[in-house]
């Protein structure tokens, strides 16, 4: 089963969804993982209904950080903004579907961090529910 998820991650890394820039957006943020140099920026457009209408990310980094951004972007479009603040590391790690080592954890969570920072101004690392 892990091979299936690894292939899925490589597919998102090689052909990321929602990569680029939005012409018009309401929120944006940029974050860097100082441990490895991964960089990720996000632009988010919010609809009148309070849901994420569109989202684009840009940046560079390892396969996990870039695939996580692609995978998360697909899930986040259409989500109510107030629900995004409640998302934690468990959500992102479950979305990835593989065991992530402690050293790669910040890579996997960078996309969630930058999205939360853009929407709430909270740039803290998302913590796992205990």
């Amino acid at each position: 089963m892990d091979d299936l998820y690894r292939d899925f991650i490589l597919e998102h890394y090689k052909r990321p969804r929602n990569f680029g820039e939005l012409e018009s957006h309401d929120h944006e943020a940029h974050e860097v993982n100082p441990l490895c140099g991964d960089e990720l920026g996000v632009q988010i457009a919010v609809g009148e209904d309070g849901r994420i209408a569109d989202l684009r990310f840009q940046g560079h980094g390892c396969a996990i950080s870039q695939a996580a951004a692609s995978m998360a972007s697909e899930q986040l479009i259409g989500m109510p903004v107030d629900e995004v603040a409640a998302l934690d590391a468990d959500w992102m790690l479950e979305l990835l579907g593989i065991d992530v080592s402690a050293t790669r954890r910040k890579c996997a969570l960078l996309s969630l961090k930058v999205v939360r920072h853009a929407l709430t101004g909270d740039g803290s690392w998302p913590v796992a529910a205990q």
Side-chain angles (χ1 to χ4, degrees):
M1 186 63 112
D2 275 354
D3 288 341
L4 177 66
Y5 281 107
R6 284 187 186 99
D7 290 344
F8 191 58
I9 288 169
L10 286 175
E11 168 64 21
H12 274 271
Y13 176 65
K14 292 176 182 176
R15 291 174 205 62
R17 283 44 155 202
N18 303 305
F19 188 86
E21 296 185 27
L22 287 177
E23 205 169 291
S24 176
H25 56 277
D26 304 299
H27 305 277
E28 69 179 309
H30 179 265
E31 296 285 339
V32 176
N33 179 349
L35 298 177
C36 65
D38 289 349
E39 291 190 41
L40 196 64
V42 69
Q43 296 172 331
I44 301 170
V46 177
E48 290 182 20
D49 60 357
R51 293 179 179 272
I52 296 177
D54 207 353
L55 178 153
R56 294 290 182 272
F57 74 93
Q58 59 281 336
H60 60 86
C62 69
I64 289 179
S65 72
Q66 299 303 293
S70 176
M71 294 165 76
S73 72
E74 291 186 316
Q75 299 296 313
L76 292 166
I77 294 173
M79 186 179 287
V81 170
D82 58 354
E83 287 183 20
V84 175
L87 298 176
D88 62 10
D90 290 343
W91 176 82
M92 189 70 247
L93 297 173
E94 185 175 316
L95 190 60
L96 282 170
I98 61 168
D99 288 330
V100 177
S101 69
T103 57
R104 303 303 300 270
R105 187 176 172 87
K106 286 192 176 184
C107 301
L109 299 178
L110 185 60
S111 58
L112 184 54
K113 179 184 181 192
V114 73
V115 166
R116 285 177 43 174
H117 188 189
L119 293 173
T120 68
D122 178 11
S124 62
W125 286 101
V127 295
Q130 299 300 320

